[in-house]
Amino acid sequence: MDRSDYAILSVIAVITVAIGIVTTTKPLGTFVVESTRQAATTTAAMAWITWWALVIGFAIAGGVEAWVSTQQISELLEGHGPRSIGLATFFGFVSSSCSYSAIATAKNLYKKGASAAAALAAFQFASTNLVIEIGIVIWLLLGWEFLLADVVGGLLLIGLMSVGFVYVVPDKILDEARENVTDDEGITVQDPVCGMEVDPEETDYSIEHEGQTYYFCSQSCKDSFDPEEANTSIPEKATSWSGWKSLADKQWKEWAMLWDEIAIGFIFAGLIAGFIPESVWTSVFSGAVFGLPVYVLWTAALGAIIGVVTFVCSVGNVPFGTVLWTRGLPFGSVLSYIFADLIVPPIMKAYDEYYGTTFAAVLSLMIFVTAVIAGFVVHFLFLGLGLIPSRASAQIAEVSIELNYKLVLNVLATAFFAFLYWLHNQDSVAGGERGDERHAAMTD
């Protein structure tokens, strides 16, 4: 996120507080003190409940990124049949939770030959909204019913988008999008040491080994390259020091990209919970005046719009979604809000830069429409099955540190986080850390 994004979010925060001040019936001083306290405790409580899940989730994402090559994955995703879509969904599920990282990886997969349905529908969505850490956070804050709905709705959305790419979007638009990605960046390969994408035609650093050419971003990565390690299996990487060093580097990169998104999600959840009176929510979600289906449909669209304008992505969406749920947003509409995290303005801007204006508009519209449809369908499916939970079951409470599983998990997670941070700061056996530093310097 850049300065303009933070400025917009600051304006939204000020508007949130102003709405509370204008609409409250309490004395102003009392309202401000009580609301500030509730906002702070809500933010802290949600962070406490979810900390261990975030640490474990980012570590898993870091391991997948460090130990699995995107080139190997893209070769499995060239079609748009059930196998390719299923594999893309699985790879997304075990991959990154950062929306910005997810769209960049999906772009690389698409550029390297993966189909639009596999890369931009299945992988891109699953790697943001079906990943392990967001699932655990949804379970902790909203309950298992929402977790099940997230999976069912996510699979429905992937299916709808895949059908759209195959049968609705003209091949000409898809071809132009792929050409835009290739023309802007060329065909790239992954540096086997630091993981950076390298253009084989531009780099001066390469090695031939057993009939295969490896390309590097720098002389240091080339010097650090071990051909035997490059061909090691995932279990071998998972049991080696260099493999864990690479995991630590990758998961720290994920934290660096997403920590502000998560913090903003918690803070906005606290502001909404603390400063917006119940009377405001009652007037907005006034009930099914024109019938329940119409009510759920328009609130699903409203939820998706809220997801767009709040700029918050992925895991950061869940705390805010929890507050929206407790304040009256219907079950399915909360899902539509969460699913819309792939069309926040900075991401739509990235689509435009990657694929061109036409395809960016098509992709953004498809995500919005399918998010609304998925939320609408899942709402009535779960309503019919009696699986919509009570709003009172959502975890919005004051901080209460007790000797229970939360304390144990958070202590263990903090120790694990500290270990990975220490490992990230050690000199890399394979030069990965130096490669990441060069990567950062080259992209600044």
Side-chain angles (χ1 to χ4, degrees):
M1 300 180 70
D2 56 29
R3 292 182 179 179
S4 61
D5 298 333
Y6 288 119
I8 293 172
L9 289 170
S10 298
V11 171
I12 295 174
V14 170
I15 292 174
T16 299
V17 175
I19 291 173
I21 291 174
V22 171
T23 57
T24 185
T25 57
K26 298 179 180 179
L28 183 58
T30 301
F31 171 76
V32 171
V33 171
E34 291 181 352
S35 297
T36 301
R37 177 180 176 275
Q38 184 178 355
T41 55
T42 298
T43 298
M46 288 185 169
W48 173 254
I49 292 170
T50 59
W51 167 244
W52 67 270
L54 294 173
V55 172
I56 298 301
F58 278 118
I60 293 172
V64 172
E65 187 175 356
W67 302 338
V68 181
S69 167
T70 57
Q71 183 63 47
Q72 294 172 328
I73 294 176
S74 64
E75 293 172 356
L76 299 172
L77 309 183
E78 294 181 353
H80 49 251
R83 181 176 181 273
S84 294
I85 300 301
L87 286 172
T89 302
F90 172 75
F91 288 133
F93 162 70
V94 296
S95 185
S96 168
S97 69
C98 172
S99 300
Y100 298 96
S101 177
I103 66 170
T105 303
K107 175 204 66 175
N108 287 332
L109 293 173
Y110 188 53
K111 179 176 61 177
K112 292 177 181 179
S115 68
L120 305 180
F123 178 88
Q124 181 169 276
F125 181 82
S127 63
T128 302
N129 289 293
L130 297 181
V131 288
I132 295 170
E133 58 267 44
I134 197 172
I136 297 175
V137 173
I138 288 175
W139 188 4
L140 292 174
L141 295 182
L142 288 164
W144 68 266
E145 297 92 344
F146 265 100
L147 173 57
L148 180 60
D150 179 66
V151 174
V152 173
L155 294 177
L156 174 60
L157 185 148
I158 288 171
L160 291 172
M161 286 195 64
S162 298
V163 170
F165 279 127
V166 176
Y167 296 106
V168 178
V169 180
D171 290 340
K172 180 181 178 181
I173 293 179
L174 296 175
D175 293 339
E176 289 176 352
R178 199 187 300 272
E179 289 174 4
N180 283 333
V181 175
T182 305
D183 290 344
D184 287 345
E185 301 182 12
I187 300 297
T188 62
V189 296
Q190 194 173 53
D191 184 323
V193 174
C194 70
M196 180 178 173
E197 292 294 323
V198 178
D199 187 338
E201 297 183 0
E202 293 186 1
T203 184
D204 296 325
Y205 313 103
S206 63
I207 289 177
E208 294 278 349
H209 179 72
E210 295 184 352
Q212 183 173 354
T213 304
Y214 297 91
Y215 298 92
F216 308 90
C217 67
S218 66
Q219 183 65 47
S220 178
C221 277
K222 179 180 177 180
D223 293 341
S224 302
F225 177 62
D226 182 351
E228 293 183 1
E229 184 175 335
N231 294 317
T232 55
S233 64
I234 292 177
E236 289 172 328
K237 292 178 181 178
T239 54
S240 69
W241 184 260
S242 60
W244 276 87
K245 172 65 173 68
S246 182
L247 179 152
D249 291 340
K250 296 299 183 183
Q251 71 91 36
W252 192 256
K253 183 187 71 175
E254 295 295 321
W255 275 110
M257 289 190 293
L258 199 60
W259 72 268
D260 55 347
E261 298 276 351
I262 296 172
I264 289 169
F266 287 143
I267 292 170
F268 265 83
L271 287 174
I272 294 294
F275 282 89
I276 303 296
E278 292 286 347
S279 58
V280 175
W281 297 111
T282 301
S283 63
V284 173
F285 307 125
S286 55
V289 178
F290 297 103
L292 184 60
V294 174
Y295 174 67
V296 173
L297 182 62
W298 85 258
T299 53
L302 176 61
I305 292 172
I306 293 173
V308 173
V309 301
T310 51
F311 281 62
V312 182
C313 300
S314 191
V315 181
N317 262 345
V318 182
F320 196 2
T322 305
V323 173
L324 293 175
W325 166 240
T326 60
R327 297 304 187 264
L329 191 66
F331 181 80
S333 305
V334 174
L335 290 177
S336 297
Y337 159 77
I338 293 174
F339 291 165
D341 62 346
L342 284 170
I343 46 175
V344 297
I347 287 181
M348 287 193 284
K349 180 181 178 181
Y351 292 152
D352 185 33
E353 295 174 351
Y354 291 163
Y355 310 112
T357 302
T358 300
F359 187 77
V362 170
L363 179 59
S364 300
L365 180 61
M366 286 178 64
I367 294 173
F368 181 87
V369 172
T370 54
V372 173
I373 293 174
F376 178 84
V377 171
V378 170
H379 181 94
F380 286 101
L381 174 62
F382 276 57
L383 180 65
L385 295 173
L387 291 178
I388 296 181
S390 167
R391 298 184 192 275
S393 64
Q395 293 294 309
I396 299 182
E398 295 187 2
V399 180
S400 179
I401 301 178
E402 303 173 353
L403 184 57
N404 55 21
Y405 80 96
K406 294 177 187 177
L407 176 62
V408 174
L409 290 174
N410 279 332
V411 169
L412 293 175
T414 301
F416 185 46
F417 179 83
F419 166 72
L420 292 178
Y421 178 73
W422 170 81
L423 189 58
H424 165 72
N425 284 296
Q426 300 307 298
D427 291 335
S428 174
V429 174
E433 182 178 1
R434 293 188 295 273
D436 281 347
E437 291 173 351
R438 284 190 301 276
H439 190 188
M442 293 173 66
T443 55
D444 283 344

